[in-house]
Amino acid sequence: MNAENAHPDTGLLAPEPSDVPEAVVDVSALEVAVLDSAAAEAAAADDSSLSADDADAAPDAAESAPDGAAAAAPATGTMSAERLATKALEQRLLGGERKLRRREVAAGAGLSLLSARKLWRALGFPNLGDEDVAFTERDQAALSTVVDLVRAGKLTEEAAISVTRAIGQMTDRMVVWQIEALVEDMVHQQGVTDAVARKRLVAELPSLVDALEEMLVYSWRRQLNAGVQRLAVRAEAGLASSEEGREGDEDDAPLPLARAVGFADLVSYTSLSRRMNEKTLAQLVQRFENKCAEIISVGGGRLVKTVGDEVLYIAETPAAGAEISLALAQAFNEDEILPQARVAMVWGRILSRLGDIYGPTVNLAARLTALADPGTVLVDSMTASALEHDERFVLLPRDAENVRGFGEIHPVELQRGSGKGLVLD
């Protein structure tokens, strides 16, 4: 959407309304604490200019105050070393000190407050009040970057908000993951409690920020390139298999992408988790996710998501999906700590949105996973047809099953044929 066709009242580029009722402010507890603390510290720093007589009088005032009042008052006008470190890290991460209010940032980017809040909500930021000094010039520059793409006609408003939401959700999850990994490592390596590790991490992060940022940009570029390659060159086997079992051609498909969709589900995870303490359970989950991520990556697939004891993945061709599925089943059969896994894979068409995948193919793969025996891989009859001439795989038909939402289906057990399968080095 460009400036000419943006809706005059509700579009991203809409001007500031003349009379907009104030929205309910829903500021997170953490954000409030940071802002209040910063304001209190600034006031305290100003108090450091008190005369010597004023400073000498402070103890007498504290002694004459009611019980508990002295404890509430700051002892000095200086910040603790911990707060200084936190404030310095914040300024480094945010690109400077918080000096701007939300309306100032929006106006600086040439947006109405309503439009700016659309983008902030997409990024996952909490609402702030008009008087909260919460933003820096970098916040304004970021808004301008997105809006300039809309003004130049490179992105529609809907696409801009969707892309922004993707960045917000992925980076939010990534930051939580990284912090937990660093805290866990400090607890293990330094022998401190979780609470102590979290405080110490503030002092450790400045030495890590640049490296983490560099790796983030590097990985994003590599992943984007991989996505471009998938767009530009679709595997011939995948195209041929996508025509299996229907009339017509590639362009008449109801869903756009033909993919191998697989699930791997740990057996007896719920009962095991009830008998484990927090540390042991965390190690089990991490071991499961790491092993799945490695196998899926080596097999040329993509890990879509993990949900507790289950992983969802996709691959470009039926053969690639089959190799990954067999490798996952084998890995958990041989693992000395993790239980076995039920695995299922279905070749079919999907809809990819918001970093997730949808459609009957996904649902059927999930249903087949529940039917699989521990340590085995199931596919449906259509997927078996796409694999039947490949000597790397052995296909063993099983009895028909009635599956909710699909009626009668004919599961086929997938086993290793000739060849070594995936090689993990």
Side-chain angles (χ1 to χ4, degrees):
M1 178 177 294
N2 53 35
E4 286 73 28
N5 61 16
H7 193 286
D9 297 321
T10 61
L12 192 63
L13 305 180
E16 179 76 77
S18 59
D19 184 18
V20 178
E22 182 58 44
V24 176
V25 178
D26 181 24
V27 185
S28 69
L30 179 61
E31 188 75 11
V32 170
V34 170
L35 293 172
D36 289 348
S37 177
E41 287 160 3
D46 292 339
D47 289 344
S48 63
S49 61
L50 288 172
S51 67
D53 292 339
D54 292 334
D56 291 340
D60 296 334
E63 290 175 2
S64 62
D67 292 343
T76 68
T78 59
M79 288 186 281
S80 67
E82 184 178 313
R83 284 299 303 153
L84 281 170
T86 301
K87 191 170 183 64
L89 179 58
E90 178 185 270
Q91 291 184 10
R92 180 177 174 185
L93 293 173
L94 300 187
E97 189 175 351
R98 299 175 189 247
K99 295 181 178 179
L100 302 175
R101 295 173 175 82
R102 63 181 191 174
R103 288 189 182 276
E104 294 170 332
V105 175
L111 290 175
S112 69
L113 178 58
L114 179 63
S115 298
R117 287 174 58 199
K118 283 185 180 182
L119 292 171
W120 288 329
R121 281 198 301 269
L123 285 167
F125 296 168
N127 287 339
L128 295 168
D130 278 340
E131 299 309 312
D132 291 321
V133 181
F135 298 97
T136 71
E137 292 180 356
R138 184 173 291 178
D139 292 297
Q140 181 175 310
L143 273 186
S144 298
T145 297
V146 178
V147 173
D148 286 348
L149 291 173
V150 178
R151 287 179 174 140
K154 296 182 182 298
L155 291 178
T156 64
E157 176 185 334
E158 183 179 2
I161 291 176
S162 182
V163 168
T164 302
R165 183 172 289 114
I167 294 170
Q169 290 186 5
M170 294 301 105
T171 52
D172 172 69
R173 184 176 184 225
M174 180 191 67
V175 165
V176 171
W177 188 335
Q178 290 177 339
I179 287 176
E180 295 304 325
L182 293 170
V183 167
E184 183 180 356
D185 185 64
M186 293 175 71
V187 169
H188 179 70
Q189 297 294 334
Q190 301 179 18
V192 297
T193 64
D194 183 271
V196 170
R198 292 178 189 278
K199 288 184 177 180
R200 288 186 182 179
L201 184 57
V202 175
E204 297 290 337
L205 276 174
S207 64
L208 300 173
V209 168
D210 289 341
L212 293 176
E213 183 177 24
E214 185 176 334
M215 284 301 297
L216 170 62
V217 174
Y218 162 76
S219 177
W220 178 80
R221 286 181 175 274
R222 290 288 301 186
Q223 296 290 359
L224 184 58
N225 180 68
V228 169
Q229 297 306 313
R230 289 194 294 268
L231 288 173
V233 183
R234 288 194 57 190
E236 184 177 343
L239 283 170
S241 298
S242 70
E243 302 292 344
E244 189 79 33
R246 65 180 181 85
E247 297 178 355
D249 58 25
E250 181 75 9
D251 294 330
D252 74 353
L255 293 176
L257 300 175
R259 294 290 186 271
V261 178
F263 278 95
D265 184 14
L266 283 180
V267 176
S268 303
Y269 170 82
T270 302
S271 60
L272 281 172
S273 62
R274 289 172 181 168
R275 302 196 299 268
M276 294 178 179
N277 59 35
E278 180 181 351
K279 182 177 180 180
T280 306
L281 179 59
Q283 290 174 339
L284 182 144
V285 171
Q286 186 170 345
R287 186 181 182 91
F288 169 64
E289 290 191 359
N290 288 347
K291 184 157 290 193
C292 288
E294 179 183 10
I295 292 172
I296 293 166
S297 177
V298 169
R302 182 172 74 85
L303 195 159
V304 178
K305 63 181 177 182
T306 57
V307 183
D309 61 336
E310 191 171 63
V311 62
L312 170 62
Y313 55 95
I314 60 174
E316 294 285 314
T317 67
E323 290 283 17
I324 292 171
S325 301
L326 288 170
L328 286 170
Q330 180 180 350
F332 295 118
N333 283 339
E334 297 174 353
D335 194 283
E336 66 276 12
I337 296 176
L338 293 170
Q340 291 179 301
R342 296 183 177 90
V343 185
M345 190 271 291
V346 174
W347 173 258
R349 291 191 170 272
I350 61 170
L351 176 68
S352 178
R353 288 292 185 275
L354 308 176
D356 207 340
I357 58 174
Y358 306 88
T361 299
V362 182
N363 298 334
L364 179 56
R367 300 283 192 272
L368 282 175
T369 306
L371 297 177
D373 294 325
T376 67
V377 180
L378 284 186
V379 299
D380 68 322
S381 57
M382 187 73 71
T383 305
S385 297
L387 297 170
E388 62 182 350
H389 300 300
D390 195 323
E391 294 181 353
R392 292 173 293 176
F393 311 112
V394 173
L395 300 158
L396 303 176
R398 286 182 28 168
D399 294 337
E401 298 266 6
N402 280 311
V403 175
R404 179 167 56 88
F406 292 92
E408 185 176 272
I409 65 170
H410 298 272
V412 178
E413 184 174 335
L414 177 67
Q415 294 185 359
R416 167 66 53 204
S418 61
K420 297 180 180 179
L422 294 185
V423 178
L424 306 177
D425 49 29

